Amino acid sequence: GQNIDQPTEMTATEGAIVQINCTYQTSGFNGLFWYQQHAGEAPTFLSYNVLDGLEEKGRFSSFLSRSKGYSYLLLKELQMKDSASYLCAVRLDGGSQGNLIFGKGTKLSVKP
Amino acid sequence: EAQVTQNPRYLITVTGKKLTVTCSQNMNHEYMSWYRQDPGLGLRQIYYSMNVEVTDKGDVPEGYKVSRKEKRNFPLILESPSPNQTSLYFCASSLSPILAGGSDTQYFGPGTRLTVL
């Protein structure tokens, strides 16, 4: 079976740094995505990792370790508008490259 | 403007009454996908399509049908809806998981909130 785990909820303070972890056990792997979803809205793409290491994009960074089945999303200089759910998703490989498995999401609340 | 559109945005229906949720994209994307999102379960893939006339089951295909007769449209069909299909549905599209080396961004439609009584 496919399994992706993320914490259900997290709280952080405006201006701080927060790390959201994601671990996965899947039958294949061809990349890991992070999406942001505000309440009542559609998910929007944040980052993509397929090789080990850190990808930085402004205030957001994403890290991947394929050997550990582990990724994290790092949000720096938190702003109130960062309050949202963050979804980790794994793309399978081979003939299932169209198959994207999502975690249940981490609801982040940013407090003043 | 590049976008994915879904219709209707909201629908209340009754058990057994066939319905279709339309999805259309104007970005010439090859890959399209349908998801449902339920509290505590997250986003789950229903069906996906790698190109015209090519569709595959995702994780929760039971009770749904899709077709991809043309590149821009990917309708989701519920032949006989049941209350357990009450959910928030998202359509998404991207260039191609294979041609783009997997790094393609999926663009999501605004969602369709379906209630089956």
Side-chain angles (χ1 to χ4, degrees), chain A residues 2 30-33 35 37 40-46 48 50 57 85 87 89 91-92 94-105, chain B residues 9 31 33 35 37 40-45 48 50 56-59 88 90 94 97-98 101-111 113:
Chain A
Q2 324 288 4
N30 192 23
L32 187 142
F33 296 82
Y35 285 84
Q37 186 178 24
E41 297 182 11
T44 55
F45 171 81
L46 287 178
Y48 170 78
V50 68
K57 195 184 284 188
S85 287
L87 314 179
R91 164 163 284 143
L92 300 184
S96 298
Q97 283 198 58
N99 208 186
L100 201 61
I101 311 293
F102 279 82
K104 294 177 183 174
Chain B
R9 294 288 314 280
Y31 176 84
S33 183
Y35 300 89
Q37 188 170 36
L41 296 177
L43 269 170
R44 292 178 294 166
Q45 194 172 39
Y48 62 91
M50 300 289 270
D56 266 303
K57 295 177 181 178
D59 300 312
L88 177 59
F90 287 104
S94 64
I98 298 169
S103 64
D104 54 312
T105 302
Q106 273 198 97
Y107 295 86
F108 281 80
R113 190 165 290 281

Side-chain angles (χ1 to χ4, degrees), chain B residues 39-90:
Chain B
L41 296 177
L43 269 170
R44 292 178 294 166
Q45 194 172 39
I46 303 170
Y47 270 95
Y48 62 91
S49 170
M50 300 289 270
N51 214 326
V52 176
E53 301 291 2
V54 180
T55 62
D56 266 303
K57 295 177 181 178
D59 300 312
V60 288
E62 296 77 21
Y64 304 94
K65 283 174 58 176
V66 292
S67 69
R68 187 90 183 275
K69 292 184 171 48
E70 47 189 347
K71 205 173 201 180
R72 64 182 292 126
N73 295 323
F74 190 43
L76 179 70
I77 303 153
L78 285 74
E79 295 270 2
S80 182
S82 62
N84 64 13
Q85 292 178 297
T86 292
S87 187
L88 177 59
Y89 291 85
F90 287 104

Side-chain angles (χ1 to χ4, degrees), chain B residues 10-58:
Chain B
Y10 302 90
L11 179 61
I12 301 174
T13 189
V14 295
T15 299
K17 187 176 180 183
K18 180 180 178 179
L19 67 92
T20 299
V21 184
T22 64
C23 173
S24 184
Q25 50 92 4
N26 63 358
M27 296 168 278
N28 202 35
H29 284 166
E30 280 146 354
Y31 176 84
M32 297 185 76
S33 183
W34 274 104
Y35 300 89
R36 60 178 291 174
Q37 188 170 36
D38 303 287
L41 296 177
L43 269 170
R44 292 178 294 166
Q45 194 172 39
I46 303 170
Y47 270 95
Y48 62 91
S49 170
M50 300 289 270
N51 214 326
V52 176
E53 301 291 2
V54 180
T55 62
D56 266 303
K57 295 177 181 178

